[in-house]
Amino acid sequence: MFEQTPPTLGNQYSDDLLLRSYLARVLPPDVLRDLEESLVEMGRLAGSELYELQLADRLNEPTLTQWDAWGNRIDKIELTPLWRLAERIASENGVVATAYEQKHGSLSRVHQCALAYLFTPSTDIYSCPLAMTDGAARTLLGSGNQALIDRAVPHLITRDPKEFWTAGQWMTELTGGSDVGLTETIAKEESGVFRLYGRKWFTSAISSQMALTLARPEGNPPGGRGLALFYLETRDELGRPQNIQINRLKDKLGTRKVPTAELTLDGTPAQFVKAATDGVRNIAPLLNITRLWNGISAVSLMRRGLALSFDYAHKRFAFGAPLSEKPLHRDTLATLLAETAAAFQLAFYVAELTGRSETREISDDDALLLRVLTPVMKLTTGKQAVMVASEVLETFGGAGYVEDTGLPVLLRDSQVLPIWEGTTNVLALDTLRALQSGDNDLKRGLARFESAVMSCVEDAAGANPIARSALDHAANWLNEAMRAGQPALEAGARRFSLTLGRIMEFALLVKHAKWSKEHEHDERAAAAARRFAASGIDLIGEYDDQDVNALL
Ligand SMILES: Cc1cc2nc3c(=O)[nH]c(=O)nc-3n(C[C@H](O)[C@H](O)[C@H](O)COP(=O)(O)OP(=O)(O)OC[C@H]3O[C@@H](n4cnc5c(N)ncnc54)[C@H](O)[C@@H]3O)c2cc1C
C-alpha cells in the first residue's frame, strides 16, 4: 500500500540561504561569527522541539475562566503548552532583549529580527506579544518617564523567564481601530490617581502584565490630540485583575493561540506615559516597532511555507516523477521564492534603518526614508504573505487544505498581517503623510525615496530602466493626483504605496544580487530580481475614477 512521506524541517537557520546570504552582506565577519551560534540554536529549536510541539498543540486553544467556584470574578487566562514554552524560549534567547543589549550597536536590531524570523513560524504568533513588548520598551525608553522606565523596562527586556513581562497595546474600541481619535475611554482623576473607564474591543495577548493604552482625560477636547497615552498594570500584587473585566475571547479565523479579548475597564488605575494630550502621536514609536515585527513575521511565514513545500516537492510523485522535476511546479515555486526574497530584503532593510535610528546613527534623509518605508513595508509584505501562503497550500494539493497537516494555519495566520497594526488602506494614507513629514512637501519625500532606489540599481544595466520607469510612473501619478485634489490622492493611495513597496523590494534585491555575485559567486539573487520584475512591479495602472461611481 502506498504511503506518503510527509514534509519535514531541518535546522531553520542552516537551511535558509536567503537569511545567511543577507547576513553575510550586512554584518562584518567578526559580528556574524559572534552571533551565529544564537541563530544556529534558534534554527535548531524552530525546526525540532518547537515545531514538534506546534504540531502536537494544534487543537489546543487558550481558555478564559471568568469565575472561581465561590463566585469570585477571576478572569483567568490559561495559555496552551506551545505558548508557555515559547515564552520561556523567547526570553532566554533574547528575542526582545537582543535589540536593547546592543552588543553590536545598531546591528543588534538586525540580529534580533533574525531571531524573531526564525522563532515566529514555529510558535503560532507568539510574535504578537513579543512585538508589543518590544514596542512598549521602545516607547517607554523614549518617553523620558524615568519612574516607568525603571519599573517596567527591565522586565520587558530581561532574559530571565521568571522576571519577563509581556505588554499589551490597547487601542481599538468599538468605534474603530483605524480612527482611534474616536476613542470613548475616559480617564478620571480620583484622589490623585487616574482611573480608566471604557471598553477595549481587541486586546491581544491579554495574559500580559502591563499595557499601553489610549484614554481621554476628562475635559480634554475630542479627536486624537485630546487623548493621552497611559501605562497600566493588569493585575495587582495578589494577582487580581485591576478593575478590568475580560468579557470574552474573540473567536477568530486565525491567530487562535493568541488570547485576544474584549475588555471593560471599570476604574483601572493608570499613569500618563508622557503627557496629558497627544496620545496618538505618543504611541507612534510602539507602532513603528510592531509594524517592523509584522513585516518580519510576514517573511518568516512565507519562508516556512516554502521550506515545507520544497521538501514535499522531492517526496511527492505525480506522472512518473517527483514534483521537484515538473517544469510547471518548479516555475510556480520559483515565482513564490522570488516574491519571498523581495519581501525579505525590504523587511530587513527597515530593520537596519530602525537599528540606526535607535542608536542615533541615522542621517535626516534616512530618518525620512525610514518614516516612509515603515508603512510601505508593512502593507506590501502583509499582502505578499497572504498571496504566498495561499499558493503554498495549493502546492500541496488537497493536503494543503487539511488541518492535521499543520498547513492551513499558515494561511489563516498570514491573513491577519494586512489587518492589524494598520490595514492596507490606512497605511497607504499614512504613506502619503510620511512622504510629506517635516515640510508638507510630498515631493521631497518621494525624491528621497527615488535616490535610495537609484543608489541600489545605478550600475545594474538591466535593472536601472525597470526601476526608473516605475518611479517615473509613480511620480507622474502623484503630480496628477495632487493637481486633481484630495479625493484623487486617497483613491489611488493603495496602488501607489504598493508600487513604492515593490520598487524598493526590487532595488534591494538588485543590490543584494550584485554583492552575492561578487562575493558568493551566486546567481540566485539576480534570478530572483528578474523573476520578481517579471511578476510586475508597477501596480499603478491607468484607473478611471468615474468607473468607481459607475460600479458602486
Ligand atoms: C486578531 C486580531 C488581534 C488584534 N489585536 C489588537 C490589539 O491587541 N490591540 C488593538 O488595539 N487592536 C487590535 N486589533 C484590532 C486591529 O488593529 C483593527 O481591527 C484594525 O486596526 C482595523 O480597525 P477596525 O477593525 O475598527 O476596522 P475599521 O477601522 O472600521 O476599518 C474597516 C475598513 O475600512 C477601511 N478604512 C478605514 N479608514 C479608511 C479610510 N480613511 N480610507 C479608506 N479605507 C479606510 C480599513 O482599511 C478597513 O478595510 C486586532 C485585530 C485582530 C483581527
Side-chain angles (χ1 to χ4, degrees), residues 543-552:
Y543 288 83
D544 185 342
D545 291 347
Q546 299 302 322
D547 290 343
V548 177
N549 295 331
L551 282 163
L552 299 183

Side-chain angles (χ1 to χ4, degrees), residues 169-174 177 199-204 250 252 260-263 419:
Q169 154 201 336
W170 303 350
M171 296 174 71
T172 306
E173 300 199 355
L174 278 89
R199 281 171 76 189
K200 296 291 173 185
W201 189 233
F202 276 93
T203 59
S204 280
K250 298 274 193 201
K252 298 168 291 178
T260 303
E262 296 168 14
L263 304 180
I419 295 177

Side-chain angles (χ1 to χ4, degrees), residues 92 146 197 241 282 316 448 511 538:
E92 283 176 352
Q146 199 55 46
Y197 295 86
N282 290 337
R316 181 72 175 167
R448 173 63 197 110
K511 178 177 165 179
D538 180 353

Side-chain angles (χ1 to χ4, degrees), residues 129 132 165-170 204-211 234-235:
M132 297 190 291
W165 285 5
T166 57
Q169 154 201 336
W170 303 350
S204 280
I206 191 57
S207 47
S208 54
Q209 288 81 355
M210 60 149 288
T234 51
R235 300 203 170 235

Side-chain angles (χ1 to χ4, degrees), residues 345-416:
Q345 293 295 337
L346 180 55
F348 273 87
Y349 184 52
V350 172
E352 286 172 50
L353 292 174
T354 302
R356 281 179 17 222
S357 160
E358 290 172 318
T359 54
R360 300 202 165 76
E361 293 164 305
I362 195 165
S363 64
D364 288 351
D365 271 356
D366 279 354
L368 173 59
L369 186 63
L370 173 61
R371 170 70 185 94
V372 173
L373 287 185
T374 298
V376 162
M377 179 278 289
K378 193 279 187 187
L379 69 88
T380 308
T381 56
K383 285 291 182 205
Q384 288 171 306
V386 177
M387 185 280 279
V388 169
S390 171
E391 291 286 354
V392 158
L393 262 50
E394 193 179 333
T395 65
F396 285 90
Y401 205 69
V402 170
E403 291 289 355
D404 57 3
T405 60
L407 294 166
V409 70
L410 283 170
L411 178 58
R412 287 201 301 270
D413 284 356
S414 296
Q415 183 63 66
V416 85

Side-chain angles (χ1 to χ4, degrees), residues 510-526:
V510 169
K511 178 177 165 179
H512 187 72
K514 183 169 182 285
W515 177 89
S516 182
K517 219 168 175 169
E518 279 171 22
H519 293 85
E520 304 176 316
H521 310 292
D522 193 339
E523 290 285 338
R524 260 178 295 219

